[in-house]
Amino acid sequence: QVQLVESGGGVVQPGGSLRLSCVLSGQTLDLLPIGWFREVPGKEREVISCIDRRANNTHYAHWVQGRFTISADVTSNSVFLNLHRLTSEDTAMYFCATAFVGLYGSSCIAGQYWGQGTQVTVSS
């Protein structure tokens, strides 16, 4: 069975950085694209970034503006999200999930399997 486990969240000051990890089991990254999403109470879920190793496609939401980077390590079957120059607007629950990445990374849609989430809080 496909399972995903996130880690790396925590409390950081504005302008700080954080590295989130997502470990995938039950399938390999070569066959199963992974995405990062975030949720804030009262707001809709947002796509952040997704990666498809088989097709060499990477998707980033337009609002990321270079502050976040996604990467994957096939050996450990893990996907990472590096967060930089964090602001209070980045406070959210961050999830990784299986995903479908559009042609040339033009889009990303969440799939069936989700992790439990890891909380990121940006506060002075």
Side-chain angles (χ1 to χ4, degrees):
Q1 184 65 42
V2 173
Q3 290 187 325
L4 305 100
V5 179
E6 306 97 330
S7 63
V11 180
V12 297
Q13 295 184 339
S17 299
L18 213 56
R19 189 192 194 206
L20 308 183
S21 299
C22 173
V23 179
L24 171 68
S25 62
Q27 191 55 271
T28 67
L29 293 175
D30 282 342
L31 301 177
L32 195 60
I34 300 294
W36 282 98
F37 308 82
R38 68 184 187 182
E39 294 182 7
V40 176
K43 295 185 177 181
E44 295 292 324
R45 178 185 65 207
E46 291 183 316
V47 178
I48 302 171
S49 182
C50 305
I51 186 167
D52 181 349
R53 290 290 295 175
R54 168 175 268 184
N56 278 101
N57 287 335
T58 302
H59 170 83
Y60 286 99
H62 70 276
W63 52 263
V64 168
Q65 298 179 349
R67 295 192 301 118
F68 304 162
T69 56
I70 193 169
S71 62
D73 179 59
V74 176
T75 301
S76 62
N77 221 34
S78 300
V79 176
F80 307 98
L81 185 68
N82 287 298
L83 314 176
H84 303 287
R85 303 193 305 279
L86 289 163
T87 75
S88 60
E89 297 297 315
D90 296 314
T91 295
M93 182 71 75
Y94 286 70
F95 298 87
C96 64
T98 57
F100 301 94
V101 181
L103 189 63
Y104 306 122
S106 59
S107 64
C108 181
I109 300 174
Q112 178 181 358
Y113 300 98
W114 293 75
Q116 83 289 347
T118 184
Q119 178 68 37
V120 172
T121 302
V122 184
S123 179
S124 300

